[in-house]
Structures are given as structure tokens and as C-alpha cells.
Amino acid sequence: MTLRSLSGRPYAEEVADVVAWLRDLDGCPSIDDAMRAACRSASHPDDPGTWFYVEADAAEGVARLRCLSCGGVHPVLDSADRWTYPGAWSCRNCRQAIAEVVFGLHEEASAVTWAAMAVRCVDCGAIDGVADFVVPSLFAADFVPGAD
Ligand SMILES: [Zn+2]
Ligand SMILES: [Zn+2]
């Protein structure tokens, strides 16, 4: 556990810390599983992309990730159908816009029913929760295109 706090805000040195942070959120369903988003585009077959530009609308529960390596866009669930054109995420601490993305998953009877999406700034490590989603009972492996 290497979460550290700067100005009262959480920072993480690695993705596992983001999962710990998600588990500690108050007032949310329990986090039973977690997945790091990874783009498995054929254009970088040996090197799954884990750095993304992120657009997310917390109020509407839509988000999409754009892979830094290939530019491929991965909408989360049905976000493309309900897209609200939210602004691009940037780190509130250092202002750069590239993040690692982790989904905390709440499961009932082995199916994902709710997900929280958190990002970790690849530069300074700041964590942000950016959106959450009611999931129509998917298995974890089906949750994000190309996810681990
Ligand atoms: Zn990619
Ligand atoms: Zn940052």
C-alpha cells in the first residue's frame, strides 16, 4: 500500500493502489474485482496500450478511452450511443492528459452489475474517480474492449 496524500488528495504509485483507493470509497457498492484497461489493437500486438486520453461525463455515466499508442477509441459499454461530448480529462495537479485507467467492478452471482472508473495520472500519480456505470450483467472479461 503506497497511497500517499498530497494536499489531502490521493496519489498512487501503481495501479494496485488505484484499486485500493476504489475499495475505500464510501457509499458505493463493494468492489469485488478490478481491471486495468488495455488496448489490444493489432497495430501494437506485442505491447498492449495502457496509456489513454480519457473523456468522461460523471453525471451521465458515459466515457471513452483513446489509446495513446494507436489512437483507437474504446467507448465504455453503450457510451457511444449516449455520447454527451464531455471535455477531455486532464490531471488536476499537473494538467497533463494521459492516464492509466482502472475499473472497479461490483459483481453479483459472478456477473458485473456496477463499475467505477478511476484514472491515474501517468506523470504525477494523482487519482481521480471519473464516472460510474450501471452494467447490464456482463462478465468481467466482456466489460471493456481489449481490457485485461
Ligand atoms: Zn491501441
Ligand atoms: Zn498529474
Side-chain angles (χ1 to χ4, degrees):
M1 182 73 169
T2 47
L3 268 185
R4 60 195 199 279
S5 189
L6 222 64
S7 315
R9 293 282 205 156
Y11 284 75
E13 289 173 11
E14 52 189 68
V15 165
D17 299 330
V18 182
V19 177
W21 179 80
L22 282 166
R23 287 207 161 100
D24 279 349
L25 291 177
D26 289 329
C28 293
S30 63
I31 302 294
D32 303 304
D33 200 357
M35 280 193 318
R36 178 186 192 181
C39 174
R40 302 197 181 283
S41 163
S43 67
H44 47 80
D46 301 323
D47 190 17
T50 56
W51 286 18
F52 297 96
Y53 295 107
V54 174
E55 296 160 291
D57 182 336
E60 295 300 323
V62 296
R64 65 186 185 186
L65 319 177
R66 183 155 56 88
C67 174
L68 190 71
S69 298
C70 70
V73 172
H74 302 288
V76 178
L77 298 168
D78 64 347
S79 291
D81 299 336
R82 301 185 294 116
W83 194 238
T84 58
Y85 301 93
W89 175 88
S90 66
C91 177
R92 61 187 148 63
N93 182 54
C94 72
R95 311 316 306 174
Q96 71 83 34
I98 303 163
E100 294 174 306
V101 178
V102 178
F103 292 93
L105 307 177
H106 176 70
E107 296 180 348
E108 289 174 22
S110 307
V112 178
T113 57
W114 181 82
M117 176 178 166
V119 298
R120 175 190 173 276
C121 172
V122 300
D123 200 5
C124 76
I127 304 174
D128 263 340
V130 293
D132 66 283
F133 309 88
V134 174
V135 182
S137 264
L138 287 173
F139 291 106
D142 298 329
F143 182 68
V144 183
D148 280 328

